[in-house]
Amino acid sequence: MRMHKKGHLEERLLSCAEILTVCDLSDKNMKSAAKVKDYLDFEQIFKNNNPVHLEIGCGKGKFVCGLAKMQPEINFIACEKVSNVIIDACECALRENIKNVRFLNSAAEVLERYFRPNTVEKIYLNFSNPLPKEGYKKQRLTHPKFLEIYRAILKDGGKIVQKTDDKDFYLFSLESYRAAGYKVLETCEDYAVPLADDVETEHERLFKERGKNIYRIVAEV
């Protein structure tokens, strides 16, 4: 089902400009676009040198806003390619006056355009689209092509924390991490209660209410 465009979307995005970077991909070729560098200056953005964590596919922002409030000593960047969705996350952060989170309206394919090599300490992948059809395998956010992008921007010893309700995607991801040379530190196939440093997402709560298992992986570069 096609999502209806939110009212006054362009004006609302502009009103969030202080915390939102919009990726202008005039070149629709992702490989070419990624070669252009518009590095985010974290020290200038956050006015500190705190560690940087990145959520890819932040949706409406419940996870990143909740985590940012729990961990004020961490700087969070939340990436979401759908403008119609990220606006809710931005407005939530502004409404709640959360100072340590910023948003990137961009596809994951061009993260290297905005992040210098070896600058991110942790990446969160929360309930990414599993894209179950075989023909979409290369678009899964744990496909080896994405894991190479993450490797480039993660610091040595940096981690990926992934949650999904899809067992096949979980197994695919495990295989991808290992094949790409990541070290799988933790796995859980029934992640029922969030850990102290975690936040339950909207999808996570819904899936649990439906009796679905939550699968969790922590992998290290």
Side-chain angles (χ1 to χ4, degrees):
M1 183 181 296
R2 187 173 181 179
M3 183 183 300
H4 292 292
K5 182 178 177 181
K6 288 185 168 67
H8 306 288
L9 179 60
E10 288 75 16
E11 295 92 331
R12 290 166 66 185
L13 290 169
L14 282 173
S15 71
C16 296
E18 64 181 285
I19 62 168
L20 173 65
T21 298
V22 178
C23 178
D24 180 16
L25 291 182
S26 53
D27 183 348
K28 298 300 182 181
N29 185 308
M30 289 295 183
K31 288 185 178 179
S32 298
K35 292 178 181 178
V36 178
K37 303 305 178 189
D38 293 320
Y39 289 138
L40 298 173
D41 185 334
F42 300 131
E43 185 173 354
Q44 182 181 47
I45 290 170
F46 293 106
K47 311 302 181 188
N48 61 55
N49 290 310
N50 290 344
V52 175
H53 292 188
L54 166 66
E55 184 185 12
I56 301 173
C58 70
K60 295 181 179 180
K62 181 179 186 294
F63 175 85
V64 75
C65 287
L67 207 58
K69 288 189 287 187
M70 286 171 52
Q71 301 181 21
E73 73 284 1
I74 303 294
N75 294 329
F76 291 90
I77 303 289
C79 176
E80 170 61 55
K81 68 179 181 179
V82 182
S83 302
N84 212 39
V85 174
I86 201 171
I87 186 59
D88 289 327
C90 294
E91 290 176 342
C92 174
L94 288 174
R95 184 171 59 250
E96 299 188 20
N97 197 31
I98 303 171
K99 301 296 187 182
N100 59 323
V101 62
R102 297 293 186 273
F103 296 90
L104 178 62
N105 189 189
S106 167
E109 286 90 339
V110 297
L111 285 172
E112 288 177 277
R113 175 174 181 163
Y114 297 99
F115 291 84
R116 296 181 189 276
N118 310 115
T119 53
V120 176
E121 292 202 357
K122 189 177 288 186
I123 290 174
Y124 299 96
L125 299 173
N126 290 311
F127 302 93
S128 310
N129 190 333
L131 297 165
K133 292 183 179 180
E134 186 68 19
Y136 293 101
K137 182 183 293 186
K138 291 184 178 180
Q139 296 180 37
R140 296 172 189 165
L141 289 183
T142 54
H143 185 273
K145 76 170 185 178
F146 286 106
L147 296 184
E148 287 307 305
I149 293 172
Y150 308 155
R151 182 189 299 279
I153 66 175
L154 280 166
K155 291 186 173 183
D156 292 341
K159 296 178 177 61
I160 298 176
V161 180
Q162 178 187 3
K163 291 188 288 187
T164 180
D165 66 302
D166 189 290
K167 186 174 183 179
D168 289 339
F169 185 41
Y170 164 75
L171 295 174
F172 170 87
S173 300
L174 278 178
E175 183 180 345
S176 293
Y177 290 128
R178 289 167 175 151
Y182 283 70
K183 181 179 180 181
V184 176
L185 301 179
E186 301 175 30
T187 61
C188 179
E189 299 189 2
D190 186 15
Y191 185 65
V193 180
L195 297 173
D197 61 348
D198 191 15
V199 171
E200 186 179 64
T201 75
E202 299 97 327
H203 285 100
E204 187 172 356
R205 177 175 297 179
L206 177 63
F207 294 141
K208 287 176 182 176
E209 289 173 352
R210 293 176 177 175
K212 300 189 73 173
N213 279 19
I214 305 300
Y215 302 88
R216 183 174 183 268
I217 303 170
V218 179
E220 181 181 78
V221 173

